Amino acid sequence: GAVVSQHPSRVICKSGTSVKIECRSLDFQATTMFWYRQFPKQSLMLMATSNEGSKATYEQGVEKDKFLINHASLTLSTLTVTSAHPEDSSFYICSARSTVGANVLTFGAGSRLTVL
Amino acid sequence: AQRVTQPEKLLSVFKGAPVELKCNYSYSGSPELFWYVQYSRQRLQLLLRHISRESIKGFTADLNKGETSFHLKKPFAQEEDSAMYYCALRGDSGNTPLVFGKGTRLSVIA
């Protein structure tokens, strides 16, 4: 079945640094990927929709200059948290929809970011 | 606007008892509804979707457009069903993302 890989699974960084999270579709091509954020004991909140070859669409309240999304190929989308602050600490999850088949999303295992 | 409501944060049932996880939605068009499950220390995975009309791991869910509900049911809960369950909605226009409810943690007690 479809597999989505996220890397790194855990990252700890100092305040002010930037962190890049990769989301790869391993055995299928994904024209669209979605980035979610999950706070402890809360639901997944959609951050942005990443479209291959075009600019990402950000949800209201999500700073596009802070959360840079690049979807340069059909198998890779990256989320860069720029100038990270402790409040950016969270669980970031990507999901991808295959170019072939039904409208089912496959999720990555998530990346836990801790900003010190 | 799309909205998914799961009124229960936590649901505890005894093994063998029936389970119903509630989900209500708000959407003006014809949505597609899903249930996702997240077992401990595992990634989110699709459990079932309303258009498939299938039973997965003994779970079923029927879309009730009149009540705008998509409750998840299982007649006899098993300990391995303990997990976090999320109801999600996808709109009917273009390449829309999933909108999730806040989730319900199901705890099945032996």
Side-chain angles (χ1 to χ4, degrees), chain B residues 32-81:
Chain B
E32 191 172 358
L33 275 295
F34 303 81
W35 275 98
Y36 278 81
V37 60
Q38 189 170 30
Y39 300 102
S40 180
R41 298 183 184 280
Q42 294 188 29
R43 70 183 66 194
L44 203 62
Q45 56 186 284
L46 177 67
L47 180 61
L48 53 81
R49 51 197 300 214
H50 89 269
I51 64 173
S52 299
R53 293 184 166 274
E54 56 192 346
S55 173
I56 304 292
K57 299 184 179 182
F59 285 98
T60 59
D62 292 318
L63 179 61
N64 186 322
K65 292 186 178 181
E67 296 182 358
T68 59
S69 68
F70 188 56
H71 303 326
L72 183 68
K73 301 177 183 179
K74 184 169 181 175
F76 308 104
Q78 303 298 315
E79 288 180 76
E80 55 265 30
D81 296 329

Side-chain angles (χ1 to χ4, degrees), chain A residues 11-24:
Chain A
V11 57
I12 301 172
C13 69
K14 292 182 179 180
S15 186
T17 60
S18 295
V19 174
K20 180 185 284 187
I21 301 170
E22 293 186 348
C23 178
R24 292 182 186 274

Side-chain angles (χ1 to χ4, degrees), chain A residues 2-66:
Chain A
V3 177
V4 172
S5 173
Q6 261 186 262
H7 178 79
S9 58
R10 290 178 180 269
V11 57
I12 301 172
C13 69
K14 292 182 179 180
S15 186
T17 60
S18 295
V19 174
K20 180 185 284 187
I21 301 170
E22 293 186 348
C23 178
R24 292 182 186 274
S25 56
L26 295 187
D27 51 1
F28 66 100
Q29 293 183 324
T31 54
T32 304
M33 292 184 175
F34 302 99
W35 285 96
Y36 290 85
R37 183 174 179 176
Q38 186 177 31
F39 292 101
K41 299 183 186 281
Q42 295 191 32
S43 187
L44 287 78
M45 300 299 297
L46 179 67
M47 297 176 65
T49 301
S50 171
N51 297 300
E52 187 266 336
S54 63
K55 290 184 179 180
T57 305
Y58 290 82
E59 294 300 299
Q60 191 173 12
V62 178
E63 299 175 60
K64 60 182 180 181
D65 294 329
K66 179 161 193 61

